[in-house]
């Protein structure tokens, strides 16, 4: 199995492309070994010891190494081996249920929220996925949009610039009711 790799804007994170669907239309973000208990693949990656985060996108996996841990020259072959073994085995990505993220919105803002979600899904999330991450809508309250950054975006040095300079400007341009975007 050929698995391609790409760098991401986050130097601690590599993007692995196995050439097949990984999580399909959903995304899964594991920020700790405890959170990864539902995923045999994420558990195996965390077992390497120098892994801080595992993220499954539609057709990719991003792995973030721990600060001060092994460098990518040592970790990359091990990650590739675990990914190849997992996908060749046909094992499930997750076993059991994963919790859905809660959102909060005022029902009176339904039209605004629909516009925000449409822009996120069509213009923002595809670009962020190209960099090995995802942005999840969490809520809208009094002009503030709350978003959760996942994958390579979580902890990325440029994530604040992306959030404020890119996403906030785009949302404010198309949805005048948006005054600010905040990460949660």
């Amino acid at each position: 199995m050929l698995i391609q790799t790409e760098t991401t804007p986050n130097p601690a994170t590599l993007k692995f492309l196995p050439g097949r669907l990984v999580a399909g239309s959903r995304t899964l973000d594991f920020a700790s070994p405890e959170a990864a208990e539902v995923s045999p693949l994420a558990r195996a990656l965390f077992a390497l010891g120098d892994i801080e985060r595992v993220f499954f996108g539609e057709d990719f996996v991003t792995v973030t190494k721990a600060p001060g841990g092994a460098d990518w020259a040592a970790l990359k072959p091990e990650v590739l081996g675990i990914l190849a073994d997992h996908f060749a085995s046909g094992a499930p990505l997750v076993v059991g249920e994963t919790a859905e993220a809660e959102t909060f919105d005022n029902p009176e803002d339904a039209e605004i929220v629909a516009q925000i979600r449409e822009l996120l899904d069509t213009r923002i999330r595809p670009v962020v996925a190209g960099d090995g991450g995802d942005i999840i809508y969490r809520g809208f309250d009094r002009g503030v949009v709350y978003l959760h950054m996942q994958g390579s975006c979580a902890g990325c040095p440029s994530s604040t610039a992306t959030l404020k300079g890119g996403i906030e400007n785009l949302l404010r341009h198309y949805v005048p009711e948006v005054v600010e975007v905040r990460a949660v």
Side-chain angles (χ1 to χ4, degrees), residues 75-101:
L75 275 176
K76 184 177 170 181
E78 294 183 68
V79 171
L80 286 167
I82 289 171
L83 293 173
D85 289 348
H86 174 82
F87 290 119
S89 76
L93 189 61
V94 293
V95 178
E97 297 291 319
T98 57
E100 289 293 319

Side-chain angles (χ1 to χ4, degrees), residues 16 19 22 29 40 43 47 52 59 74 85-86 91 93 101-102 116 119 134 145 149 152 179 182:
F16 297 85
V22 176
D29 190 28
R43 277 196 321 264
E52 185 174 73
D59 59 353
D85 289 348
H86 174 82
L93 189 61
E102 290 186 40
I116 293 167
L119 287 166
D134 197 10
V145 177
M149 301 179 92
S152 65
V179 295
R182 292 184 192 163

Side-chain angles (χ1 to χ4, degrees), residues 52-140:
E52 185 174 73
R53 177 176 232 110
V54 175
F55 177 77
F56 301 133
E58 178 180 10
D59 59 353
F60 65 90
V61 175
T62 58
V63 178
T64 304
K65 68 182 191 76
D71 64 12
W72 276 118
L75 275 176
K76 184 177 170 181
E78 294 183 68
V79 171
L80 286 167
I82 289 171
L83 293 173
D85 289 348
H86 174 82
F87 290 119
S89 76
L93 189 61
V94 293
V95 178
E97 297 291 319
T98 57
E100 289 293 319
E102 290 186 40
T103 60
F104 56 90
D105 297 311
N106 183 334
E108 295 173 11
D109 294 329
E111 189 174 313
I112 297 166
V113 169
Q115 291 173 2
I116 293 167
R117 285 179 176 264
E118 174 72 18
L119 287 166
L120 288 171
D121 289 343
T122 61
R123 294 187 176 223
I124 297 169
R125 290 181 74 208
V127 173
V128 173
D131 285 338
D134 197 10
I135 294 185
I136 304 298
Y137 173 83
R138 288 289 199 251
F140 177 75

Side-chain angles (χ1 to χ4, degrees), residues 120 124 143-145 147 160-175 178-183:
L120 288 171
I124 297 169
V144 180
V145 177
L147 302 174
T160 301
T162 299
L163 193 68
K164 291 295 187 179
I167 298 168
E168 182 175 280
N169 287 341
L170 185 130
L171 290 176
R172 288 175 66 190
H173 176 77
Y174 287 103
V175 186
V178 172
V179 295
E180 184 182 2
V181 174
R182 292 184 192 163

